[in-house]
Amino acid sequence: MSRGRSDGSQQKHLVASICVVAIFLGFLYVFGGSIFGSQNGGSSALEYGRSLKRLGSSYLGAEDDNDGNQDESSASFKQGEGEANIVSKSFPVCDDRHSELIPCLDRHLIYQMRMKLDLSVMEHYERHCPPAERRYNCLIPPPSGYKVPIKWPQSRDEVWKANIPHTHLAHEKSDQNWMVVKGEKIVFPGGGTHFHYGADKYIASIANMLNFSNNNLNNEGRLRTVLDVGCGVASFGAYLLSSDIIAMSLAPNDVHQNQIQFALERGIPAYLGVLGTKRLPYPSRSFELAHCSRCRIDWLQRDGILLLELDRILRPGGYFAYSSPEAYAQDEEDLRIWKEMSDLVGRMCWKIAAKRNQTVVWQKHGTNDCYMEREPGTRPPLCQSDDDPDAVWGVNMEACITPYSDHDNRAEGSGLAAWPARLTTPPPRLADFGYSNEMFEKDTELWQRRVEKYWDLLSPKIASNTLRNIMDMKANMGSFAAALIDKNVWVMNVVPHDGPNTLKIIYDRGLIGTTHDWCEAFSTYPRTYDLLHAWTVFSDIQKKGCSLEDLLIEMDRVLRPTGFVIVRDKQPVIDSIKKYLSALHWEAIDSSSDSVQDGDEVVFIIQKKMWLTSESFRDTE
């Protein structure tokens, strides 16, 4: 109350208040640009970014075991390169609540922008990227108490709870052995909804159903790539690895939140995606086996369009293993679904390869003969001749059957060598690009030499188990990944959506990957990769007019603390990146402009420092 105050006191109080407001507005003016970035001007950016609360300098560096003088070494590198005149950049740190932000799969953005999406067909789980004015141009902080992840192969079975502090799945799936909380760790017994007693026994049972030798699902190297739809925490994919089978474990960020985050923290190949309205980001004829264990998908919807999408990506003679009540239950509804599914897959020219207990395995026909023998007007129809079955980025699914190419039809299959010879044998689809076998072999040899040099440069900083999850941001024919086959790693091969669609060559080699546009954020959680390889990626996006800063912030988001970046690009690009090292809390490890140069390309190796926000640091004390 102010009744007892004199007029002079009131005036002094008013003057003081005005001063406080003026100081606050001045602060916003000075720091507003660095908080919201050059592209985030306007009131809408302020609305979306108002939860930012710290500037980029308000972090506490946590020295890792390898190097206790990161800031000093970074500074000395720049001075040694004669770059003392570089103008320092700065980035703010996002609010702690955004420690798991996935920009193009952010449901808060969907609500704020009032997008009209059809929830019944899962559109809200598909990619919806923020416009430039609504991007979080800030660094994603690690969660409270974050630790360097447990190394593979131990990580298959346990992770730090602090790194993914979500235990609801352990309680919700407590009777299915998905995961169990034990002290500071979350452990994974290898169970699943339809394989409580372990994924290894379940995998062997499928191999036994198919009469594969030694109950080994790899079928003497003929079965190599698998798509696991609705994968849970990816224990199915985890236990396939010992059989020389690599699975793309796929699930949306749905009610079972963080399942893909757990998979990647464990060191298992995984990707955030959904069978909704768009084609999956994989070429036709990519997988020998698709798998669904109680994946909660309505396969009969929209004239069977989701089953037809699986058909598109299955190889000739490929399998679909389906474990669900419809395959064995006897109640009226399950019997109805089973009858309708059986009728649909029959018209798609699938046949039952095996059926036992809770699981049925269908097999896709190996040639076009069955399609040609169907009655006229049979549905689903064959796709139009001008439909490109390998066009996937933003392409709508079609309720039609993708027939085989003339080559595959004549070969009665894909004509691929068994694994591991498949990795280095020129695949038939090279001819789709006009590539010769000699070009393929030279590319394989070139990247073998380059990767050997990378490892020489990294050797002072890494041990045999330092790296596990690796991404090749511009994979071409997959030769970078092929050169790493003897390392205990896996590689997400990324092929730009607007370049040659060489992803089908990558899958033909027995590797995995996806299509992407690097002007947008990648479909993964923060802190999920140990190493990013960027071969001319920055030069490519600059030609498209996209932001180098945005790409650096995105790379920082997906990179684990203490993880590495290998940039192979032109010298001016390297010089531009160096301006941002301090702002990103990255450390320059090596620049090979003198020793390992290829034409006008230079190799630049960077390590991300471990850092914590002041709040999360206090929580660890």
Side-chain angles (χ1 to χ4, degrees):
M1 295 181 67
S2 60
R3 281 185 188 175
R5 294 178 184 171
S6 66
D7 291 342
S9 298
Q10 291 178 345
Q11 290 176 350
K12 291 177 181 178
H13 179 71
L14 180 60
V15 170
S17 299
I18 292 172
C19 290
V20 169
V21 171
I23 292 171
F24 175 73
L25 291 175
F27 177 85
L28 285 181
Y29 177 80
V30 172
F31 293 107
S34 64
I35 291 176
F36 301 114
S38 60
Q39 296 186 30
N40 282 19
S43 58
S44 58
L46 183 60
E47 176 187 351
Y48 193 57
R50 67 173 68 251
S51 55
L52 303 180
K53 63 184 181 182
R54 288 181 303 280
L55 295 181
S57 59
S58 64
Y59 77 99
L60 298 172
E63 297 173 352
D64 61 32
D65 295 334
N66 295 327
D67 189 5
N69 299 295
Q70 294 173 328
D71 287 326
E72 289 80 356
S73 60
S74 179
S76 64
F77 175 88
K78 287 193 289 187
Q79 290 172 2
E81 294 291 316
E83 296 171 8
N85 61 340
I86 285 179
V87 177
S88 296
K89 304 288 183 178
S90 65
F91 295 122
V93 177
C94 296
D95 188 284
D96 286 342
R97 290 171 295 175
H98 304 308
S99 68
E100 293 169 356
L101 177 69
I102 311 165
C104 294
L105 297 169
D106 182 7
R107 283 195 290 276
H108 298 295
L109 173 71
I110 292 173
Y111 300 146
Q112 287 184 7
M113 297 190 69
R114 296 179 175 86
M115 296 181 183
K116 298 185 185 300
L117 304 176
D118 188 342
L119 275 59
S120 68
V121 294
M122 302 298 172
E123 276 191 301
H124 54 307
Y125 293 137
E126 294 181 324
R127 288 174 58 85
H128 301 283
C129 297
E133 69 273 9
R134 285 180 174 264
R135 291 176 182 168
Y136 282 92
N137 287 348
C138 52
L139 305 182
I140 303 296
S144 176
Y146 181 85
K147 301 180 182 181
V148 173
I150 294 170
K151 305 302 182 186
W152 182 268
Q154 183 183 353
S155 63
R156 186 195 74 173
D157 302 323
E158 60 182 24
V159 301
W160 294 116
K161 183 173 68 176
N163 291 9
I164 309 180
H166 303 283
T167 59
H168 58 284
L169 280 176
H171 304 298
E172 182 182 342
K173 302 291 184 180
S174 59
D175 61 331
Q176 298 171 16
N177 281 328
W178 279 31
M179 47 190 272
V180 179
V181 179
K182 288 189 177 180
E184 293 186 342
K185 295 179 179 178
I186 295 174
V187 301
F188 301 88
T193 305
H194 270 270
F195 43 93
H196 304 179
Y197 301 107
D200 51 349
K201 297 180 179 63
Y202 172 71
I203 291 166
S205 72
I206 295 175
N208 181 264
M209 289 169 62
L210 295 170
N211 296 315
F212 290 171
S213 61
N214 302 316
N215 291 339
N216 191 330
L217 196 60
N218 77 8
N219 192 23
E220 299 179 336
R222 289 187 286 271
L223 196 156
R224 165 64 180 171
T225 52
V226 169
L227 176 69
D228 187 17
V229 180
C231 64
V233 293
S235 289
F236 182 74
Y239 283 84
L240 284 173
L241 290 166
S242 60
S243 298
D244 270 344
I245 297 172
I246 188 164
M248 178 69 81
S249 295
L250 182 80
N253 184 19
D254 60 7
V255 293
H256 294 156
Q257 291 178 25
N258 309 100
Q259 52 194 334
I260 292 297
Q261 191 178 20
F262 278 118
L264 289 163
E265 184 75 9
R266 297 173 69 186
I268 303 166
Y271 184 82
L272 275 164
V274 66
L275 280 162
T277 67
K278 306 293 184 185
R279 283 179 172 176
L280 295 176
Y282 316 119
S284 65
R285 311 192 304 279
S286 292
F287 299 96
E288 276 90 38
L289 172 74
H291 173 255
C292 157
S293 174
R294 198 64 179 269
C295 55
R296 303 189 309 144
I297 291 174
D298 176 9
W299 295 107
L300 295 173
Q301 64 175 281
R302 293 176 284 159
D303 300 317
I305 194 169
L306 304 185
L307 271 177
L308 289 161
E309 175 63 1
L310 288 190
D311 183 84
R312 182 185 68 84
I313 61 178
L314 278 177
R315 296 197 192 279
Y319 300 95
F320 176 42
Y322 182 58
S323 294
S324 188
E326 296 85 18
Y328 62 89
Q330 295 299 308
D331 62 85
E332 184 176 348
E333 180 61 13
D334 287 329
L335 287 170
R336 181 193 67 80
I337 294 173
W338 172 253
K339 182 179 182 302
E340 291 187 21
M341 280 191 71
S342 297
D343 182 53
L344 172 61
V345 299
R347 287 182 276 114
M348 290 168 55
C349 293
W350 290 9
K351 64 180 181 180
I352 292 180
K355 187 172 185 288
R356 184 188 300 167
N357 300 329
Q358 64 183 17
T359 302
V360 60
V361 181
W362 283 292
Q363 186 173 21
K364 180 181 176 181
H365 204 270
T367 68
N368 290 329
D369 294 349
C370 175
Y371 307 140
M372 300 299 104
E373 294 167 359
R374 299 188 311 163
E375 291 292 330
T378 300
R379 302 191 67 82
L382 297 183
C383 297
Q384 298 294 320
S385 59
D386 60 352
D387 175 74
D388 180 0
D390 301 321
V392 296
W393 188 250
V395 177
N396 289 329
M397 292 181 190
E398 296 288 343
C400 58
I401 297 171
T402 304
Y404 298 126
S405 67
D406 290 341
H407 172 273
D408 281 354
N409 186 54
R410 288 194 304 271
E412 297 188 5
S414 298
L416 299 176
W419 180 266
R422 182 182 300 186
L423 183 68
T424 52
T425 302
R429 287 200 276 187
L430 279 176
D432 292 359
F433 305 91
Y435 296 168
S436 66
N437 290 356
E438 183 182 11
M439 289 172 61
F440 175 85
E441 290 161 357
K442 284 185 176 180
D443 189 73
T444 300
E445 293 170 2
L446 173 65
W447 281 102
Q448 184 68 46
R449 294 195 302 271
R450 287 176 172 178
V451 168
E452 287 173 0
K453 292 173 182 176
Y454 289 163
W455 245 246
D456 288 341
L457 295 171
L458 283 167
S459 58
K461 286 283 186 178
I462 63 172
S464 60
N465 66 348
T466 301
L467 305 175
R468 174 61 186 170
N469 302 352
I470 294 178
M471 181 189 291
D472 190 2
M473 298 172 66
K474 184 183 175 183
N476 194 25
M477 288 190 280
S479 295
F480 170 84
L484 291 168
I485 202 64
D486 293 330
K487 309 290 185 185
N488 216 356
V489 302
W490 67 272
V491 180
M492 178 68 78
N493 293 282
V494 181
V495 171
H497 77 103
D498 54 354
N501 192 2
T502 53
L503 195 57
K504 52 189 174 182
I505 294 176
I506 289 167
Y507 274 94
D508 285 355
R509 300 184 75 169
L511 305 169
I512 61 170
T514 187
T515 303
H516 187 60
D517 178 357
W518 282 116
C519 294
E520 300 177 0
F522 193 76
S523 293
T524 193
Y525 282 88
R527 302 171 302 279
T528 47
Y529 285 88
D530 299 300
L531 186 148
L532 307 178
H533 177 242
W535 171 47
T536 67
V537 175
F538 288 95
S539 290
D540 292 344
I541 68 157
Q542 286 182 325
K543 290 175 185 175
K544 294 165 63 175
C546 299
S547 166
L548 180 144
E549 286 190 10
D550 286 349
L551 180 55
L552 286 169
I553 290 173
E554 172 61 8
M555 291 170 69
D556 183 78
R557 186 185 72 85
V558 304
L559 189 64
R560 286 172 169 173
T562 73
F564 297 87
V565 178
I566 301 176
V567 180
R568 177 182 284 273
D569 217 313
K570 297 178 180 178
Q571 186 65 56
V573 171
I574 305 298
D575 293 339
S576 296
I577 293 171
K578 288 177 182 177
K579 299 175 183 179
Y580 296 90
L581 294 184
S582 177
L584 292 162
H585 317 309
W586 289 3
E587 176 190 11
I589 299 300
D590 201 297
S591 180
S592 62
S593 56
D594 295 327
S595 57
V596 188
Q597 197 167 4
D598 183 29
D600 60 351
E601 293 177 4
V602 177
V603 175
F604 185 45
I605 299 182
I606 305 157
Q607 184 174 22
K608 179 178 177 177
K609 302 177 187 180
M610 171 72 87
W611 58 269
L612 299 170
T613 63
S614 54
E615 285 83 350
S616 59
F617 182 80
R618 279 197 295 271
D619 290 340
T620 65
E621 292 180 330

